[in-house]
């Protein structure tokens, strides 16, 4: 069945085309439009499910080898010969650097043809199921949520186009196809955020998202150019296999792999809303809530994580960039979490929560736990899509009210929404056995025990604090929305007091005007139930080895086992975990086949034999990862005291549960037991509160440093254009006109005057003579002729004599 994966992106595209082209022209009903959209995604999900089963679990499974479609593949961009100046070539030149012989690859030409084909492998399989499965729930929800909206057909056309673009992004077999999908989801995000285009807020948010993402995309496309120039191809299979043989660049060294990884990271920061390119995501909440759930929680914003994991072999060849990824992720996680504490818009809280959780995913990739990062992508898709849809259900039931200060005790009126939201709340807080616990705990454990980068203990500490903040502000959201007093009645009364006497009298005797919340229709709460089940049980596909005596149970159903073959192991130089051969000291570092200039360090060409031997004895006995030059390792320090790795992991599990409990406990204390505490502590910590409430004034800073300076530059360019460029042109025109006037005057009064003066003089002198000679008498004319004849004869006679 995996041979038919080309239908997976095609079906949503067909549904989008039907709704977009014919929906308005033929007046499709909402039921027909929704049916087309939901059916196309449902079929896509079923094909994905059967294809993944056929690929990984059937008798003819290809796992873990990638399958690239051949029936529908075609040569999309015949680019011709490309000079491969930086890649590995058949010939090499040896030069001397610091008295050391170093091989430098000689340039060669390769034939670059970009094909349009789809690839099914462990990574794309996970994303196919997430996109189509979670997307199906969101599409069903949207049929109820968007009921009665103008442009119903347009909404589902955009959503279907987004599904197509996102599936192309994760299923394409090469980097150029990824970029097509990358730009496609950016376009659809712009269209869907600005769906309510008559609202200024939505229009501004759409532009902001589009422009911010273009900044990241610039770095991404430069990295793609560099990869093509380096390897002479854009196909993943070829790029990954060639990159694996490059030497690892040590910490602080900026070689080829580091620069490529930097470009990729910039692109990932834009799409996955990492600091400092995170500012677009909270504003994107101006779009419809199903858009927030699908694009800005479950799928598009995780594209950066997909790209990082797909190119993990590039990142793992740069110790510097691994550290950068981890630090950016850790900072983003705590930065966004502290902002979420003070926000009052229910969707804005979830937006900053999303930014924070994306930071956790980047943190995981930075410490080398790419598989766990993708695991958290999956669990986050379940519980965050659930909470966004739950927020949409709340907004729907509250008559489009989003301010949590005007809610309270909604569990009484919205039981389905409440209980499903509880599952998402416990999952994101990291409470066992909900899905978020398994992935978040593994991220923190890998941060504490990492041997990929230094400062793992600091990354773990920041992540732990961010997890505490997450549990606190999500409990705050639950308390303000579903528990406590019914504040919507007081808010309604307060609004009436400001509407004038006539309106106040009108409402005072009629309690029916109070908008009482109500449960959403079945089309909206059924998807919530499905997502709540996955948010509760979905984490068991990656159950921690601490619970299974150090073994990864479940075979290929275990996400770690499933994804390991695509992760490059820097210790062995191979993909996937190395198989233990008996003793820890038997782990070896594979030699680098093609050394390049400037790659000194523990894995570089200039490492001495003694250094290599020392490194070979410093490999972790379980993972086979090099521990050299990573400084203090928190997990190993604890393990040295306890004497057991399993016991050490349990210590960190208990810490993770404890901080989640602390965050939840503080949330109950502040927003349920003593509701005066938030105001008291906001006053005590006024500077911190103001900074968090105003989102650290990042938007204001960008407005001052970027937007206004850009406008100043635009005004300066306009002034230069109008005063200098146009001034020069206009001045030249004025000078030309002046010259022409001078020329005209000169011609008229000097040239023509002189000519006319001479002519008049001649005329006035000669005309009397001529008039005198022209008498009109024939006799006079005959006399003149005779006289002239006599003169001529006389002259002739004189000459003779």
């Amino acid at each position: 069945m995996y041979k038919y994966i080309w239908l997976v992106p095609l079906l949503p595209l067909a549904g989008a085309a039907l709704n977009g082209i014919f929906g308005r022209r033929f007046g499709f009903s909402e039921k027909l439009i929704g049916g087309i959209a939901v059916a196309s995604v449902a079929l896509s999900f079923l094909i994905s499910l059967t294809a993944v089963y056929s690929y990984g679990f059937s008798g003819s499974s290809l796992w873990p080898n990638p399958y690239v479609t051949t029936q529908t593949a075609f040569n999309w961009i015949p680019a011709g010969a490309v000079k491969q100046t930086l890649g590995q070539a058949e010939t090499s030149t040896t030069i001397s650097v610091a008295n050391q012989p170093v091989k430098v690859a000689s340039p060669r030409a390769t034939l670059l043809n970009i094909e349009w084909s789809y690839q099914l492998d462990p990574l794309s399989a996970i994303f196919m199921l997430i996109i189509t499965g979670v997307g199906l729930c969101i599409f069903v929800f949207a049929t109820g949520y968007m009921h009665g909206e103008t442009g119903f057909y347009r909404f589902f056309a955009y959503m279907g186009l987004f599904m197509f673009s996102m599936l192309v992004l994760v299923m394409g077999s090469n980097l150029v196809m990824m970029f097509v999908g990358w730009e496609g989801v950016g376009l659809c995000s712009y269209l869907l955020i600005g769906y309510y285009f008559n609202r200024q807020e939505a229009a501004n948010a759409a532009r902001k998202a589009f422009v911010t993402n273009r900044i990241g995309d610039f770095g991404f496309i430069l990295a793609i150019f560099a990869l093509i120039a380096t390897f002479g191809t854009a196909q993943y299979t070829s790029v990954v296999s060639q990159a694996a043989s490059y030497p690892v660049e040590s910490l602080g060294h900026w070689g080829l792999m580091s620069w490529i990884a930097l470009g990729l990271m910039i692109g990932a920061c834009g799409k996955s809303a990492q600091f400092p390119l995170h500012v677009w995501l909270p504003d994107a909440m101006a779009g419809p809530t199903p858009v927030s759930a699908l694009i800005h929680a479950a799928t598009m914003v995780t594209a950066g994580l997909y790209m990082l994991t797909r190119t993990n072999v590039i990142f793992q060849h740069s110790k510097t960039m691994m550290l950068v990824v981890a630090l950016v992720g850790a900072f983003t996680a705590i930065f966004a979490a502290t902002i979420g504490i003070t926000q009052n818009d229910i969707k804005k809280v979830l937006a900053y929560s999303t930014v924070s959780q994306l930071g956790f995913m980047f943190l995981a990739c930075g410490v080398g736990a790419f598989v766990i990062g993708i695991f958290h992508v999956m669990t986050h898709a379940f519980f965050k899509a659930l909470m966004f849809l739950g927020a949409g259900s709340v907004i729907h039931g509250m008559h489009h009210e989003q301010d949590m200060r005007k809610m309270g005790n909604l569990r009484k009126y919205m039981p389905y929404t409440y209980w499903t939201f509880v599952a998402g709340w416990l999952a994101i807080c990291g409470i066992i056995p909900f899905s978020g616990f398994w992935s978040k705990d593994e991220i923190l454990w890998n941060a504490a025990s990492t041997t990929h980068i230094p400062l793992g203990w600091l990354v773990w500490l920041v992540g732990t604090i961010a997890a505490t903040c997450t549990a606190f502000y999500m409990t705050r959201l639950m308390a303000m929305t579903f528990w406590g007093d019914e504040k919507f009645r007081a808010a309604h009364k307060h609004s009436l007091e400001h509407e004038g006497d006539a309106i106040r009298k009108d409402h005072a005797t009629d309690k029916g005007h109070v908008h009482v919340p109500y449960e959403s229709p079945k089309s909206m709460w059924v998807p919530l139930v499905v997502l709540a089940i996955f948010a509760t049980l979905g984490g068991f596909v990656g159950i921690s080895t601490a619970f299974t005596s150090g073994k990864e149970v479940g075979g290929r159903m275990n996400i770690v086992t499933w994804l390991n073959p695509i992760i490059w192991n820097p210790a062995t130089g191979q993909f996937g975990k190395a198989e233990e051969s008996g003793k820890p000291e038997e782990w070896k570092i594979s030699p680098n086949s093609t050394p390049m200039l400037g790659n000194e360090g523990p894995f570089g060409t200039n490492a001495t034999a003694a250094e290599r031997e020392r490194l070979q004895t410093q490999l972790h006995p379980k993972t086979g990862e090099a521990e050299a030059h990573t400084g203090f390792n928190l997990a190993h320090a604890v393990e040295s005291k306890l004497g057991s790795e399993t016991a050490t992991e349990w210590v960190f599990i208990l810490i993770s549960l404890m901080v989640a409990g602390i965050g939840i406990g503080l949330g109950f204390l502040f927003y349920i037991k003593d509701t005066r505490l938030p105001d008291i502590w906001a006053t005590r910590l006024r500077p911190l509160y103001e900074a968090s409430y105003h989102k650290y004034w990042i938007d204001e800073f960008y407005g001052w440093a970027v937007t206004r300076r850009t406008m100043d530059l635009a005004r300066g360019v306009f002034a230069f254009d109008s005063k200098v460029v146009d001034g020069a042109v206009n001045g030249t025109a004025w000078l030309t006109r002046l010259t022409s006037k001078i020329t005209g005057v000169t011609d008229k009064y000097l040239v023509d005057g002189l000519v006319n003066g001479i002519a008049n003089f001649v005329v006035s002198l000669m005309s009397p003579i001529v008039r005198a000679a022209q008498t009109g008498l024939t006799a006079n004319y005959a006399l003149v002729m005779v006289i002239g004849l006599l003169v001529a004869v006389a002259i002739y006679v004189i000459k003779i004599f």
Side-chain angles (χ1 to χ4, degrees), residues 450-619:
T450 183
T451 56
H452 283 74
I453 61 168
L455 303 177
W457 64 271
L458 178 61
V459 172
W460 171 84
L461 180 61
V462 172
T464 301
I465 297 172
T468 310
C469 294
T470 299
F472 175 76
Y473 68 70
M474 290 309 302
T475 305
R476 172 179 178 265
L477 183 150
M478 289 293 296
M480 294 179 70
T481 305
F482 295 103
W483 304 328
D485 299 328
E486 296 178 357
K487 295 183 286 292
F488 56 86
R489 297 185 187 275
H492 177 74
K493 181 179 178 181
H494 178 74
S495 65
L496 292 181
E497 291 174 353
H498 294 80
E499 290 180 0
D501 292 338
I503 299 178
R504 183 162 62 249
K505 290 177 181 178
D506 228 14
H507 287 71
T509 58
D510 189 359
K511 294 182 180 179
H513 282 83
V514 177
H515 292 304
V516 178
Y518 56 89
E519 184 58 273
S520 299
K522 194 173 183 179
S523 61
M524 293 172 66
W525 65 256
V526 168
L528 296 180
V529 173
V530 174
L531 288 171
I533 293 171
F534 282 102
T536 304
L537 305 176
F540 284 100
V541 298
I543 187 170
S544 171
T545 54
F547 292 82
T548 58
S549 302
K551 298 179 181 178
E552 291 172 358
V553 297
R556 296 179 190 176
M557 286 297 295
N558 188 303
I559 193 170
V560 176
T561 303
W562 178 263
L563 287 175
N564 260 330
I566 67 165
I567 307 301
W568 186 71
N569 190 328
T572 63
Q574 305 298 323
F575 287 87
K577 281 190 175 181
E579 296 297 330
E580 197 167 340
S581 55
K583 298 180 180 179
E585 62 268 16
E586 291 182 5
W587 291 103
K588 302 295 181 184
I589 299 174
S590 61
N592 296 302
S593 59
T594 309
M596 298 291 285
L597 272 171
N599 286 288
E600 295 83 4
F603 294 92
T605 58
N606 295 335
T608 64
E611 288 174 334
R612 288 181 178 275
E613 184 177 355
R614 176 173 54 81
L615 287 170
Q616 289 168 3
T617 62
Q618 292 184 341
L619 301 178

Side-chain angles (χ1 to χ4, degrees), residues 339-345 349 352 404 476 692-693 695:
I339 294 176
I341 292 174
T342 58
Q343 303 305 303
N344 296 313
D345 185 313
V349 175
Y352 280 105
M404 296 185 298
R476 172 179 178 265
S692 172
Y693 182 77
K695 299 161 283 190

Side-chain angles (χ1 to χ4, degrees), residues 309 365 368-376 559-561 563-564 566-567:
T309 307
C365 293
F370 289 91
V371 170
I372 304 303
I374 298 302
F375 183 26
H376 198 55
I559 193 170
V560 176
T561 303
L563 287 175
N564 260 330
I566 67 165
I567 307 301

